[in-house]
Amino acid sequence: RATSPPLACVSPPGPRNLSCISYKHPSVRGGLGGAGRGAAGAVRCPPGQCCIGIWNRSHALVQGCWGGGGAACPSPTCIPSPAGPPGGAVLVCLCHGHLCNGNATGTGVGTAVGLGEP
């Protein structure tokens, strides 16, 4: 008679107790989980979420928690990639390191705190 392998404990995707930079530029409407207003700060994300950063080429638009987690956020650092139409000015990163969405690696764009208002 065949036996089943033991069941492994499966945890939700993404890190636990992750903190992300939280910021929302005044020009951005709507919301994103954990995105604050005005000055940047930090927010603790729910289990299974990771950090997101959305920038245009000159400043941060939104930073906060994102519910994708798991394989959608494979990098511990923020390595932005273009989003939207080709040649567009919007960059997005998903990452799972502590406060990883504070710096956009390789773009010269830093945290919302370091940018100030345009």
Side-chain angles (χ1 to χ4, degrees):
R1 150 179 154 154
T3 60
S4 299
L7 294 175
C9 292
V10 178
S11 60
R16 297 182 185 271
N17 299 319
L18 177 67
S19 291
C20 300
I21 295 295
S22 173
Y23 173 77
K24 182 173 151 183
H25 191 272
S27 67
V28 176
R29 294 182 188 191
L32 180 71
R37 293 191 180 275
V43 64
R44 183 153 326 257
C45 300
Q49 293 192 358
C50 61
C51 299
I52 186 169
I54 304 172
W55 291 266
N56 65 20
R57 302 258 180 216
S58 65
H59 62 271
L61 297 172
V62 176
Q63 293 163 295
C65 300
W66 186 73
C73 305
S75 177
T77 59
C78 177
I79 303 169
S81 58
V90 176
L91 301 170
V92 174
C93 81
L94 298 169
C95 54
H96 67 266
H98 181 66
L99 302 174
C100 62
N101 64 334
N103 290 310
T105 303
T107 64
V109 177
T111 65
V113 173
L115 293 168
E117 294 300 315

